[in-house]
Amino acid sequence: MLLTKILKYTQNDSLKMIKNVVVGISGGVDSAVTAFLLKIKGFNVTGIFMKNWDIRDETGKCVVEKDYNDAQWICKKLEIPLIQVDFVKEYWNEVFSDIVEKYQNGYTPNPDILCNKNIKFDKFFHIARNKFQADAIATGHYARTSFGSYLENYKAKANVCLLQAQDINKDQTFFLSQVPQKTLRRCMFPLGTYLKSHVKMMAIEAGLCQIAWKKESMGICFIGKRQFQHFISEYIADKPGDYVDLDSGLPIGRHNGIHKRTIGQRCKIAGCFKPYYVFSKDQESNTVVVVGGTTHPALYTDFLMTRDIHWINEEPHELRWGNGILNCNFRFQHRNSLITCRVYKMSTDRLFIRLFVSLRAITMGQYAVLYSGEECLGSSVISYIGPSYFALNRQNYR
């Protein structure tokens, strides 16, 4: 069986102080198997359930309650303690409020990256270290570090690199691209060397059948089963405006708020049988400019600018000491393929990124995540989108 192939962990000299590990238990199979692996490796394991949201949806249900019950069942099965920690206030102030503000201003933020940056690998990390005397924390993310799954290669004065998971289809380094170096040096990602199918097999072999096939949460965690447009209207007032066709310049319908639309999204416009997609949003005029067809050249561009740069390890030497040009790989959405790019350093906190292949619907407010081989270098916020192929071609014909 798969579990029999897991070698018993032996602490080396550099790891004599790493005994107590706090695991973020979400109630899902990934965090459950993470806790199980740590226990059979000989660590003193404590589970923490992070309560980040406490508002019920329109059905009267709060998904947090079901997840907490599952987390209790998991920890009872594994015979490890479980502690619930309330981060509702911190999540509201440092994640959700920022999300609402960005949507109001026409941006499209990434809640998962913000949550990891401000809650899981900041607030959770510090309470684990300071209140529960954890030597390290662990999560069920599919990722690896240069220190190893169990910090077996830990070096006190060395920096750690964030590496892609073995299961590329489940790799979550994109969501960890804003995690600070200080935290990452004390993080364990036991699932980074396994395929998702292996993790489910281990859950079954460990007697965790109840959650082995639990449906994974998808999308933004706090929305639940509601449509995003209905959810966001609870926090941002609807403000109707015009849909304007880019090609004709004419209004072709009405929308009920630019905050409900994202770049590249299909719009259902009354009376229009042709599919239209969002090209841009103008906050001042409250108009949404749309184009006909999902492959319209206005949706494609091959360069962008970013701000608020975060390098996980350190700034690449090509930008720091060389000619200011870095050749690497890029993605701005989790499941997108990596695209070769060239990065130019504009200032201490701004980058210019030229893509070797044009991409559809790059959106301000999202993150440009950079990779070199299997290493995730870090990320920065997309602040400007270059001219589209449509705009460039129109200028050429003038």
Side-chain angles (χ1 to χ4, degrees), residues 302-304 319 323-330 339-345 351-357 370-371:
D302 59 9
F303 79 84
L304 59 140
L319 298 179
N323 56 8
I325 302 175
L326 170 68
N327 292 306
C328 61
N329 294 317
F330 163 95
I339 299 298
T340 305
C341 71
R342 185 164 290 167
V343 179
Y344 302 83
K345 183 177 179 180
L351 298 175
F352 175 94
I353 302 175
R354 187 64 183 258
L355 307 175
F356 283 30
V357 176
L370 302 177
Y371 292 81

Side-chain angles (χ1 to χ4, degrees), residues 5 43 72 118 165 185 193 231 254 275 382 384:
K5 298 180 181 179
F43 292 101
Q72 288 181 307
N118 296 327
R185 294 178 75 253
T193 56
F231 171 81
R254 298 282 288 174
I382 298 173
Y384 174 80

Side-chain angles (χ1 to χ4, degrees), residues 102-103 106-110 261-263 281 363-367:
K102 284 184 169 61
Y103 275 117
Y107 291 85
T108 303
N110 189 304
R261 300 288 177 256
T262 60
I263 305 302
K281 301 181 290 184
T363 308
M364 291 192 299
Q366 295 183 336
Y367 286 85

